[in-house]
Amino acid sequence: MSEPSRPEPRLVPHEGDERLAWDTARRVLEVLEHAQDERGEATLVLTGGSMGTRVIGELAGHPDAAVIDWSRVNVWWSDERFLPGADGERNGVQAADAWDETHELTWDRVHPVAGSDEIASADAAAEDYVEELAAAAENEGSDTGLPVFDLALLSLGPDTHVASLFPGREDVLRTDAPVFAVEDSPKPPPTRITLSLPAINSAQRVWLLVAGAAKAEALATIRRPQITATEAPASAVRGTRETLWLVTEDALPGLPGMPEDPDPAPGGTAG
């Protein structure tokens, strides 16, 4: 049986970095609130990068953050650098530094990837994350090996990579495991752990953050007709219910025509 079609990406332009971070945080809060109303909890997959971390800071400091029961929010990472657990280059450490601890998370619901000082190898860290995901899925009564991801927040790399899925590498197409180790990454550090493309695309909503003129070529590339996932991994990310490209206006030059969100207010038509 073929997979049901997914909505095509919608482009949501913003005047600049500040507006992008602020509006994305507002959208995230709306999704979390809706998920908690619907399921009693909410699950967020976070990304690294400067804009991803900035959104986390805006999210924690937003005046509407109080509407969320943060003790019922589950947090996963789309990828992580295989470094010691407290290393400042790790996505999880940067996210923790950006977070406002006045909003108390339940730490059993926060799932960092094991660090290089905590586990023997990147492969072992990936296997450990697979087991954590499977346990969470089982608790939800699912046999898919993955819990419900309400939202996967990603950042577009200037080479079109997302998470640690890099162009020109066959591991972009891997379907044998939802998490795997990446060796010889073209971007330092060389060893990483990443969600697979199918795992990312299991999320109900996938949002791609694109900030700055340096990302304009990558944004245009992922929209080219017949571009493949191997050529441009970000071109293949799709949520089951919604895919948004949340971009700054200076990243738009050279972008072929595509649907724009007529209402850039948080949530759009996420329902």
Side-chain angles (χ1 to χ4, degrees), residues 28-218:
V28 171
L29 290 170
E30 183 177 88
V31 169
L32 296 180
E33 183 180 19
H34 177 76
Q36 288 189 342
D37 288 345
E38 190 175 72
R39 299 191 294 111
E41 60 183 293
T43 298
L44 181 61
V45 179
L46 295 179
T47 187
S50 58
M51 183 51 66
T53 302
R54 186 168 178 176
V55 168
I56 293 167
E58 293 287 0
L59 184 64
H62 199 284
D64 291 341
V67 305
I68 305 302
D69 181 349
W70 293 100
S71 72
R72 294 186 289 121
V73 174
N74 308 295
V75 180
W76 301 86
W77 269 265
S78 63
D79 73 321
E80 187 55 277
R81 300 165 180 187
F82 192 58
L83 296 169
D87 193 295
E89 292 300 307
R90 280 172 56 94
N91 294 334
V93 173
Q94 293 173 9
D97 288 344
W99 186 247
D100 182 345
E101 293 187 358
T102 58
H103 304 298
E104 293 189 15
L105 297 167
T106 299
W107 290 108
D108 285 349
R109 291 180 179 264
V110 178
H111 302 274
V113 179
S116 61
D117 56 343
E118 302 165 322
I119 202 163
S121 67
D123 285 331
E127 291 172 8
D128 180 68
Y129 219 54
V130 169
E131 291 174 2
E132 283 197 56
L133 287 163
E138 185 176 359
N139 286 340
E140 293 179 0
S142 171
D143 60 359
T144 65
L146 292 171
V148 173
F149 293 154
D150 295 294
L151 171 62
L153 193 63
L154 302 171
S155 294
L156 176 66
D159 61 352
T160 73
H161 83 266
V162 286
S164 285
L165 302 173
F166 294 95
R169 300 173 66 114
E170 291 303 315
D171 58 16
V172 174
L173 304 178
R174 284 186 61 171
T175 60
D176 59 312
V179 187
F180 56 84
V182 175
E183 303 289 350
D184 300 321
S185 162
K187 181 180 179 181
T191 306
R192 295 158 173 257
I193 295 92
T194 187
L195 291 185
S196 68
L197 183 58
I200 290 170
N201 285 351
S202 74
Q204 293 182 1
R205 297 170 179 83
V206 174
W207 296 353
L208 189 64
L209 299 170
V210 188
K215 304 292 181 68
E217 184 176 351

Side-chain angles (χ1 to χ4, degrees), residues 12-15 17-29 58 62 207 246 264-267:
V12 189
H14 299 76
E15 290 180 352
D17 290 5
E18 183 175 346
R19 189 67 185 181
L20 173 60
W22 179 258
D23 281 355
T24 300
R26 292 176 64 196
R27 287 177 178 271
V28 171
L29 290 170
E58 293 287 0
H62 199 284
W207 296 353
L246 304 170

